[in-house]
Amino acid sequence: SGKGGAALKGNRGQAVLELAFQIPVILMLMFAGVQIARVIYVYHALQKALRGGAGLLARTVNVNYCDAADLSLADAKNFMVYGNLQGSGDPVVGGLTTDMIQISPERRDPATTTVNECPCNEDAESCDTSMGGHVPDFVVVRLGNGFPLQVPFPFVNIGAINLQVAVRMPVTGS
């Protein structure tokens, strides 16, 4: 009966040792899962904000997409970043600024059915309505250089993930 007690103590020691190795792995997996969920959440929030601003622009009448000073473009950028036209309050996603947002008009080429960026010049086929151009078929809103999202991880420097978010919306306003 003396040998049975020694074997039982050996099994307990082995179980404690196995648990000591498993706990850090389990914690690391849990932390990684939380960080992946955070990245997905921020990406979704950015996409939702850009979609809302693109929809606002697509329905707005008399927008000159070729004039960076157009108030409708500034209002849409404020709406995307702050959730209001005035540009007040906290950003909907921390770190998002109006300078990160790029807005460009696009037009469908009837000959090839491809979609290309619409030129802003004096050409009759341009999107510059102040120069006699036509309203674009689509408005594209994107984060120009992406959105750098820091991903903290214990004892490892992962750095930032650059989230590239873009939304294309058909223009219905004229």
Side-chain angles (χ1 to χ4, degrees), residues 47-168:
Q47 189 177 42
K48 186 175 176 182
L50 294 186
R51 192 178 326 116
L56 176 67
L57 276 175
R59 292 185 303 272
T60 302
V61 179
N62 296 329
V63 178
N64 186 355
Y65 294 96
C66 295
D67 182 7
D70 189 294
L71 292 178
S72 296
L73 298 178
D75 286 348
K77 286 182 178 184
N78 284 337
F79 184 75
M80 288 179 246
V81 174
Y82 301 103
N84 60 60
L85 301 179
Q86 296 76 31
S88 59
D90 295 328
V92 293
V93 175
L96 183 64
T97 65
T98 55
D99 296 335
M100 294 176 169
I101 298 171
Q102 293 179 346
I103 300 170
S104 56
E106 289 186 344
R107 180 164 291 133
R108 182 179 293 123
D109 183 359
T112 63
T113 65
T114 59
V115 176
N116 301 314
E117 190 165 342
C118 193
C120 290
N121 54 31
E122 296 178 13
D123 185 18
E125 291 302 314
S126 81
C127 285
D128 192 347
T129 54
S130 66
M131 297 289 207
H134 302 290
V135 175
D137 295 326
F138 299 95
V139 60
V140 176
V141 179
R142 68 176 53 92
L143 296 176
N145 295 324
F147 183 81
L149 179 64
Q150 292 293 330
V151 181
F153 208 81
F155 312 113
V156 179
N157 184 11
I158 294 178
I161 294 176
N162 200 23
L163 299 177
Q164 298 288 333
V165 183
V167 175
R168 175 182 285 134

Side-chain angles (χ1 to χ4, degrees), residues 9-59:
K9 286 183 182 179
N11 286 342
R12 284 186 194 155
Q14 181 182 354
V16 170
L17 188 61
E18 287 176 2
L19 184 62
F21 282 119
Q22 290 175 359
I23 287 176
V25 172
I26 291 170
L27 288 174
M28 191 169 51
L29 288 174
M30 285 177 35
F31 194 79
V34 168
Q35 291 304 318
I36 289 170
R38 184 173 151 265
V39 168
I40 292 170
Y41 172 79
V42 170
Y43 182 86
H44 176 71
L46 289 169
Q47 189 177 42
K48 186 175 176 182
L50 294 186
R51 192 178 326 116
L56 176 67
L57 276 175
R59 292 185 303 272

